C-alpha cells in the first residue's frame, strides 16, 4: 500500500502489485469477515501495467492498483455484520485456472499515517469503519461497527463535544471497570464486586454487553453500564479511571483512534494472568501496538522486575498487588473433591475448529486425556 485517503463514506487505497510472470486480466477488491465469513465485493479496481518497472526487474510483472471501499451503496440493501473484515484483491491471471486472492498490506509510512476511520450513514443505520494494520503481517483490516442510527449519532455527538461534556461533569470521579465486553468472571469482575460491596459510595461502573450470558453475575451489585448505551458513551469520556483485565479500549463504545484520543482517563491494567510462562512483550510491552496503560498490576516482586526490565515500564508505575480474583480462592463456596484439572491455553494460530482438530496441539491433548497412565492415576488415588 503506497497511499490511503479517508473521506466521509469511503477509504481509498492505492499501491503496487507484483505478479511475477502472470498477466492480470481482471481484478476486484473484497472484504471478508473473520468471524462471519461475510463477503463484500468492490468491482471497480483500476490497475495499470508498469512497463519500465517491469523491464528493470527483468520481466517480473509490476502493476499499480487503486480502489475505493465505499459502504454507502451497501448500507441500505444488506446487513453488514459487526466484524473485523480482511481486505483482499482478487485477480484473474492469464496463466491460472482460478482467480487468486491477495491480501492487501505492507503499507508505507505515509499510508499508515493517513489510514483513518470513515463513516457512512443510511436511513436506519450508521457504520463506523476503523481501518488498521495487523500486528504480525501489517495487512489491512477494517473493524466494522454497524449501529442503529440513534446510537451512531450519539457516538458522533459525544465524540465531537467531548471537552465540553467533561467540563460539565468535572466534579465526578467515575471509574470504568471490565474485561472483554461479554465477560464478568475474571479480575475485572472481582475488583468491581469488591468495590461495590466495600465502597458503594464510589462511582464505579461495570461495562458489559446486555446480551452476555454473564450479566447475571452482576445482579444485585448495581452500576452496570450496557455496552454502547448513551450512558456508556458519556461515562467513557468523563471517566477518571479505566480499570481493565485486558486492553483498556475494550471498555470503550468504539475503538477508533479518534475516540481513544478523546478518553482522558488514566488506565489501570489488572491483568488476567501471571506473566512469565509466555513472552508477552509484543502484546503488553510499553511500546506494544494498540496497548496503553498508566499503571501495571503484578503478582510478585519477581514479576515486577520482569515488567520493568523486559516490558519497559517505569518501576513507579508497576504495583505488586496480586490478581483481584485470587481473593475469591479462599472463599468456602466450592465443595472440596479430589480431581485432576487440565487447562489448555490459548494459541493465536488456532483460528478455526478445523485448525484445532488438524493440529498436533489437539493430538497431544487427546493422547494425554485418553492415556492409560492418567486413567491408572485416577483409579489408584480415587480422583473424580
Amino acid at each position: 500500500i503506497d497511499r490511503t485517503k479517508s473521506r466521509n463514506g469511503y477509504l481509498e487505497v492505492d499501491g503496487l502489485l507484483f505478479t511475477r510472470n502472470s498477466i492480470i486480466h481482471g481484478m476486484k477488491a473484497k472484504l471478508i469477515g473473520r468471524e462471519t465469513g461475510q463477503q463484500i465485493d468492490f468491482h471497480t479496481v483500476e490497475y495499470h501495467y508498469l512497463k519500465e518497472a517491469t523491464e528493470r526487474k527483468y520481466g517480473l510483472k509490476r502493476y499499480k492498483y487503486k480502489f475505493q471501499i465505499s459502504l454507502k451503496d451497501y448500507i441500505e440493501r444488506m446487513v453488514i455484520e459487526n466484524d473485523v473484515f480482511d481486505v483482499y484483491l482478487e485477480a484473474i491471471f492469464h496463466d491460472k485456472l482460478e482467480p487468486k486472492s491477495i491480501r492487501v498490506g505492507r503499507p508505507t509510512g505515509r499510508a499508515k499515517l493517513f489510514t483513518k476511520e470513515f463513516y457512512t450513514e443510511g436511513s436506519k443505520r450508521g457504520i463506523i469503519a476503523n481501518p488498521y494494520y495487523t500486528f504480525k503481517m501489517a495487512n489491512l483490516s477494517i473493524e466494522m461497527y454497524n449501529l442503529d442510527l440513534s446510537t451512531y449519532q450519539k457516538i458522533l455527538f459525544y465524540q465531537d463535544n467531548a471537552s465540553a461534556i467533561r467540563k460539565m461533569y468535572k466534579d465526578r470521579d467515575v471509574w470504568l471497570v471490565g474485561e472483554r465486553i461479554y465477560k464478568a468472571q475474571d479480575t475485572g469482575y472481582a475488583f468491581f464486586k469488591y468495590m461495590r460491596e466495600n465502597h458503594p459510595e464510589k462511582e464505579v461502573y461495570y461495562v458489559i454487553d446486555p446480551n452476555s450470558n454473564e450479566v447475571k453475575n452482576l445482579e444485585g451489585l448495581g452500576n452496570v453500564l450496557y455496552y454502547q448505551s448513551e450512558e456508556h458513551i458519556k461515562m467513557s469520556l468523563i471517566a477518571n479511571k479505566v480499570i481493565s483485565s485486558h486492553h483498556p479500549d475494550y471498555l470503550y463504545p468504539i475503538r477508533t483512534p479518534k475516540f481513544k484520543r478523546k478518553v482522558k482517563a488514566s488506565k489501570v491494567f489488572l491483568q488476567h494472568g501471571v506473566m512469565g510462562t509466555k513472552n508477552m512483550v509484543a502484546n503488553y510491552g510499553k511500546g506494544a501496538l494498540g496497548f496503553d496503560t498508566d499503571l501495571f498490576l503484578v503478582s510478585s516482586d519477581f514479576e515486577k522486575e520482569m515488567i520493568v526490565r523486559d516490558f519497559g515500564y517505569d518501576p513507579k508505575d508497576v504495583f505488586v498487588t496480586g490478581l483481584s480474583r485470587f481473593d475469591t480462592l479462599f472463599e468456602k463456596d466450592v465443595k472440596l473433591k479430589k480431581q485432576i484439572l487440565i487447562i489448555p491455553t490459548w494459541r493465536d494460530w488456532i483460528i478455526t475448529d478445523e485448525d484445532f482438530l488438524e493440529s498436533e496441539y489437539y493430538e497431544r491433548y487427546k493422547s494425554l486425556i485418553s492415556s492409560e497412565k492418567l486413567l491408572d492415576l485416577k483409579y489408584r488415588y480415587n480422583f473424580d
Side-chain angles (χ1 to χ4, degrees):
I1 299 174
D2 183 53
R3 186 186 64 91
T4 63
K5 181 170 67 175
S6 295
R7 289 290 184 268
N8 191 23
Y10 70 87
L11 173 71
E12 188 171 274
V13 183
D14 65 62
L16 301 174
L17 177 63
F18 312 137
T19 67
R20 296 185 180 175
N21 296 311
S22 299
I23 299 169
I24 296 177
H25 282 173
M27 192 153 56
K28 71 176 181 180
K30 62 183 181 181
L31 308 182
I32 300 179
R34 288 188 192 169
E35 297 293 329
T36 62
Q38 183 179 30
Q39 180 168 321
I40 306 171
D41 294 328
F42 302 90
H43 292 280
T44 307
V45 177
E46 299 176 22
Y47 62 94
H48 305 285
Y49 176 60
L50 302 176
K51 185 174 182 294
E52 291 184 5
T54 298
E55 290 174 351
R56 287 197 299 271
K57 290 296 181 179
Y58 309 102
L60 295 176
K61 304 296 186 290
R62 298 293 194 259
Y63 288 86
K64 187 171 181 60
Y65 69 84
K66 181 178 181 179
F67 64 90
Q68 282 187 6
I69 297 172
S70 176
L71 303 173
K72 208 162 191 64
D73 295 336
Y74 293 86
I75 194 168
E76 299 291 0
R77 57 186 174 89
M78 70 181 290
V79 176
I80 296 177
E81 302 288 349
N82 286 298
D83 200 352
V84 173
F85 287 79
D86 295 321
V87 183
Y88 292 86
L89 287 173
E90 184 178 281
I92 299 171
F93 293 138
H94 83 288
D95 54 351
K96 300 287 190 299
L97 294 176
E98 300 290 337
K100 182 175 178 60
S101 293
I102 308 153
R103 277 293 258 126
V104 178
R106 297 178 61 192
T108 61
R110 177 177 63 171
K112 282 186 177 180
L113 184 64
F114 290 100
T115 302
K116 299 177 181 179
E117 63 265 30
F118 56 104
Y119 307 85
T120 304
E121 183 175 330
S123 59
K124 296 180 180 179
R125 311 285 300 177
I127 293 177
I128 298 174
N130 179 33
Y132 69 95
Y133 296 98
T134 58
F135 174 66
K136 289 187 176 180
M137 302 300 292
N139 289 322
L140 180 62
S141 297
I142 303 176
E143 186 175 21
M144 298 285 193
Y145 298 93
N146 189 344
L147 308 162
D148 67 78
L149 193 57
S150 174
T151 301
Y152 171 84
Q153 291 174 342
K154 285 170 184 172
I155 287 175
L156 297 190
F157 171 79
Y158 281 99
Q159 177 177 266
D160 292 342
N161 296 279
S163 296
I165 291 163
R166 259 194 303 276
K167 288 179 183 177
M168 290 172 58
Y169 297 97
K170 63 182 180 180
D171 296 327
R172 292 176 66 175
D173 184 21
V174 172
W175 298 5
L176 293 193
V177 181
E179 299 163 2
R180 293 182 182 270
I181 60 164
Y182 54 86
K183 282 191 169 294
Q185 58 166 258
D186 207 318
T187 52
Y189 168 71
F191 176 76
F192 175 73
K193 187 171 185 288
Y194 172 84
M195 291 299 296
R196 293 299 294 153
E197 292 175 347
N198 295 277
H199 297 281
E201 76 283 359
K202 297 290 291 182
E203 273 205 88
V204 182
Y205 297 87
Y206 196 92
V207 178
I208 194 166
D209 189 318
N211 299 313
S212 167
N213 292 329
E214 297 183 10
V215 168
K216 62 182 183 294
N217 296 345
L218 301 165
E219 290 176 2
L221 295 176
N223 282 20
V224 175
L225 289 178
Y226 290 127
Y227 178 67
Q228 291 185 342
S229 64
E230 183 172 6
E231 194 71 0
H232 174 220
I233 300 165
K234 180 178 75 175
M235 291 295 195
S236 299
L237 295 170
I238 70 173
N240 289 326
K241 288 183 175 62
V242 174
I243 304 169
S244 176
S245 62
H246 291 73
H247 290 51
D249 57 5
Y250 286 178
L251 305 187
Y252 305 167
I254 56 173
R255 300 173 64 191
T256 62
K258 184 175 182 178
F259 194 93
K260 288 194 279 189
R261 287 194 298 271
K262 301 290 184 176
V263 176
K264 302 303 181 183
S266 60
K267 304 167 190 69
V268 181
F269 184 39
L270 295 175
Q271 291 204 72
H272 51 280
V274 179
M275 299 291 181
T277 59
K278 288 195 291 187
N279 185 348
M280 302 296 287
V281 175
N283 301 76
Y284 299 119
K286 188 67 175 176
L289 185 66
F291 180 73
D292 178 32
T293 192
D294 298 299
L295 301 178
F296 202 121
L297 306 190
V298 298
S299 297
S300 68
D301 291 330
F302 174 81
E303 190 181 9
K304 176 173 180 174
E305 182 183 339
M306 179 175 59
I307 297 304
V308 171
R309 182 189 66 239
D310 299 335
F311 286 61
Y313 288 89
D314 193 299
K316 68 179 176 56
D317 298 328
V318 184
F319 291 83
V320 181
T321 63
L323 300 183
S324 52
R325 70 166 188 258
F326 283 177
D327 293 348
T328 64
L329 295 175
F330 299 99
E331 295 178 1
K332 300 183 184 299
D333 59 343
V334 177
K335 182 182 177 181
L336 293 177
K337 59 181 180 179
K338 295 178 71 175
Q339 61 182 339
I340 298 171
L341 178 63
I342 299 173
I343 308 176
T345 58
W346 173 74
R347 291 291 180 266
D348 60 0
W349 48 266
I350 297 177
I351 307 298
T352 66
D353 291 345
E354 186 177 342
D355 291 336
F356 173 65
L357 293 173
E358 293 181 353
S359 67
E360 181 185 358
Y361 185 75
Y362 166 73
E363 291 298 331
R364 286 182 176 239
Y365 267 107
K366 183 180 176 182
S367 64
L368 170 64
I369 293 169
S370 59
S371 72
E372 292 185 5
K373 187 173 182 179
L374 192 64
L375 288 172
D376 180 59
L377 289 171
K378 167 185 165 64
Y379 294 124
R380 187 188 309 173
Y381 295 102
N382 295 315
F383 286 112
D384 290 335

